[in-house]
Amino acid sequence: MTDIRPLPHIMKTKPYVPGGKLAGAKGPVVMLASNENPFGPNPLAIEAMREAAASVHVYPDPTYGALRGAIARAMGITDANRIVVSSGSDEIIHLLTQCYAGPGDEILQTEHAFSMYAVSATAHGAACISAPETDLTAGANAILACISERTRILFLANPNNPTGTMMSVDALTALQDALPPHVLFVIDGAYGEYVGPHYEAAIRDLVDRRANTVMMRTFSKIHGLAAARLGWAYLPQEIAETFQRIRGPFNVNSLAVAAGIASISDPAFIQMSREHNTLWRAKMTDALNAMGLATPGSEANFVLPDFGSAEWAAAANDFLKARDILVRAVGGYGLPTRLRISVGSAEDNEAVLAALRDFTASR
């Protein structure tokens, strides 16, 4: 026996459940559960990692100046000192929560938000409050109605995961203006590249517009570097300095740094990935709706068909697994009647659509 016990709020924390892999597959798996880039990483990023491998015995630059400079150039940011880099954007969520919220405080998210916001809030002793959504979409009035004197951070994924919906830039601007001064506004732009450069620039400008706003980004999605664990954020100077106080001195490895510099410096690969996603996202949405599976428009790299009941969604998920196709059940996000399906390669997209046609025909 021991008297060593974790803090009570740690035991209340529910660990994040990833998309996972498919055990017992008979052949190649169609992996459409984790919103990965079907093209894989940029070939330039692969080559950069190969070259960096020869120096992995040396610690990376603790300032990450080259990576932050490359991000600044690509994103039109004039002050690279206001950029921080991280081991995935999850680390940014945790460190911002550690800096600004704790026991007795509240973290605000929306109804069907990315689950890491709640994980981080609970892990730091804060309460996680969810503002209701309308038609799977966040709204400024609903968010503002949930703010209290205890609210410390508003995490807003835009576009949102797993719904794929988003608030307009005008709505974000109005929300930013209406927030009380004690609330940190964190815009999670993990899927921002799929909307386009105009939107990326707009959320960058929101950070410059008010000293209460952070833009968070990731290399896991359109850049195809999910396993490298690389994220970044653009912050007001004071918040960036606070963040750097508790960031680990070598929190990003040298291979990820090299891959990130190469990838973000090649807009052609990003454009190719976005164009493929836009084309196939529309095709998949139309096809699923034609099957009678109500599928809302998405601004991200996945679609979210509705199977009408939790039982039918579970049956569809099992049917797809039997064909070695893995998609994402989202009951844990309060969406038990839906499945989230990533936009994959043309071949994989055709495979999942064909399987779902067979499933719906057999109902």
Side-chain angles (χ1 to χ4, degrees), residues 35 38 45 102 104 107 129 142 148 166 179 192-193 198 216 234 253 274 300 307 327 340:
N35 305 336
I107 300 293
I129 308 299
S148 74
M166 64 180 289
L179 287 173
E193 293 94 341
H198 62 288
M216 192 169 69
Y234 180 48
N253 70 76
R274 181 169 52 246
F307 290 81
V327 300
R340 191 190 70 191

Side-chain angles (χ1 to χ4, degrees), residues 86-93 217-218 220 228-232 252:
S86 60
S87 178
S89 57
D90 293 345
E91 185 181 35
I92 297 171
I93 295 169
R217 305 295 293 276
T218 183
S220 294
R229 309 310 304 131
L230 182 61
W232 64 278
V252 177

Side-chain angles (χ1 to χ4, degrees), residues 34-50 67 71 86-89 190 193-194 217-232 252-266 269-270 273 301:
S34 299
N35 305 336
E36 295 152 340
N37 189 326
F39 297 116
N42 189 323
L44 296 176
I46 296 174
E47 182 57 33
M49 284 189 280
R50 288 197 182 104
L67 175 57
I71 293 169
S86 60
S87 178
S89 57
E193 293 94 341
Y194 294 105
R217 305 295 293 276
T218 183
F219 282 82
S220 294
K221 304 305 177 186
I222 207 166
H223 291 279
L225 295 172
R229 309 310 304 131
L230 182 61
W232 64 278
V252 177
N253 70 76
S254 296
L255 302 184
V257 168
I261 293 171
S263 188
I264 206 165
S265 301
D266 182 18
F269 180 85
I270 298 170
S273 299
N301 68 333

Side-chain angles (χ1 to χ4, degrees), residues 153-219:
I153 305 175
L154 165 61
F155 283 112
L156 181 68
N158 204 63
N160 185 48
N161 172 29
T163 63
T165 58
M166 64 180 289
M167 294 175 63
S168 69
V169 173
D170 286 346
L172 291 176
T173 304
L175 175 59
Q176 183 187 52
D177 286 342
L179 287 173
H182 65 275
V183 177
L184 176 63
F185 185 20
V186 181
I187 303 172
D188 185 346
Y191 298 92
E193 293 94 341
Y194 294 105
V195 184
H198 62 288
Y199 175 66
E200 295 182 87
I203 54 175
R204 174 205 65 201
D205 291 346
L206 285 174
V207 180
D208 292 330
R209 188 172 176 273
R210 290 281 186 272
N212 67 339
T213 303
V214 167
M215 176 183 71
M216 192 169 69
R217 305 295 293 276
T218 183
F219 282 82

